[in-house]
Amino acid sequence: MKKLCQFSIFTTVLFAVLSFTADSNPLVGKWEYSSTQPGGPFKLLAIFRANGTFDGFINKKEFVSGTYRMKQDTLYISDPTCNARYEGIYKVEFFSRRDSLKFHVVQDTCKGRREGTDGFLFKNVSKVK
């Protein structure tokens, strides 16, 4: 009985640690913003990886790659199109069960990045491993 109790406690602690580790960076995954423009449908896809890199695609064509880091609900992001040594700062607002999000600019002098992310609703389209 004592061994069963110890095993149950060990299993509970293990699952708690694993679930915390897997969700330590809720931004990891594929996030998509979709709209209709005068020229047709527009899709912006951002892929954030656990190693701190990201790629951005417009209508399935890669247009940017860079690095990022999360600190609680704040995103620090940089890419070569706006000087890879400069980081834009955004608050990240998650909705529902973290299946969608909005970026809110805190500070970013990169006009293209700011205009392509600030206030738009991105949906999680799948998790990246």
Side-chain angles (χ1 to χ4, degrees):
M1 182 71 177
K2 184 177 177 182
K3 288 190 182 230
L4 180 62
C5 183
Q6 287 174 338
F7 179 74
S8 295
I9 292 170
F10 172 76
T11 305
T12 303
V13 170
L14 180 63
F15 283 128
V17 168
L18 290 175
S19 66
F20 176 75
T21 304
D23 199 29
S24 63
N25 183 350
L27 194 58
V28 171
K30 295 180 181 181
W31 299 90
E32 184 176 74
Y33 167 74
S34 300
S35 75
T36 304
Q37 305 286 325
F42 173 82
K43 291 188 186 249
L44 173 60
L45 176 69
I47 301 173
F48 290 93
R49 294 179 191 80
N51 68 1
T53 62
F54 76 92
D55 293 311
F57 299 83
I58 294 178
N59 294 336
K60 298 184 180 180
K61 294 181 184 177
E62 186 174 9
F63 74 97
V64 67
S65 292
T67 60
Y68 78 96
R69 59 190 171 94
M70 285 288 293
K71 198 177 223 182
Q72 296 170 340
D73 66 346
T74 305
L75 169 69
Y76 299 83
I77 188 166
S78 64
D79 61 75
T81 61
C82 297
N83 184 350
R85 293 181 298 196
Y86 170 76
E87 289 183 321
I89 305 169
Y90 293 80
K91 286 289 182 192
V92 181
E93 179 183 11
F94 288 97
F95 298 96
S96 191
R97 294 187 166 162
R98 295 188 172 178
D99 63 353
S100 56
L101 63 80
K102 280 187 182 181
F103 298 104
H104 301 283
V105 67
V106 173
Q107 180 182 349
D108 196 351
T109 59
C110 181
K111 182 180 178 184
R113 184 170 53 217
R114 201 174 55 242
E115 290 177 352
T117 57
D118 188 34
F120 294 122
L121 182 65
F122 285 78
K123 295 188 183 215
N124 189 322
V125 291
S126 72
K127 290 282 185 183
V128 177
K129 296 186 184 202

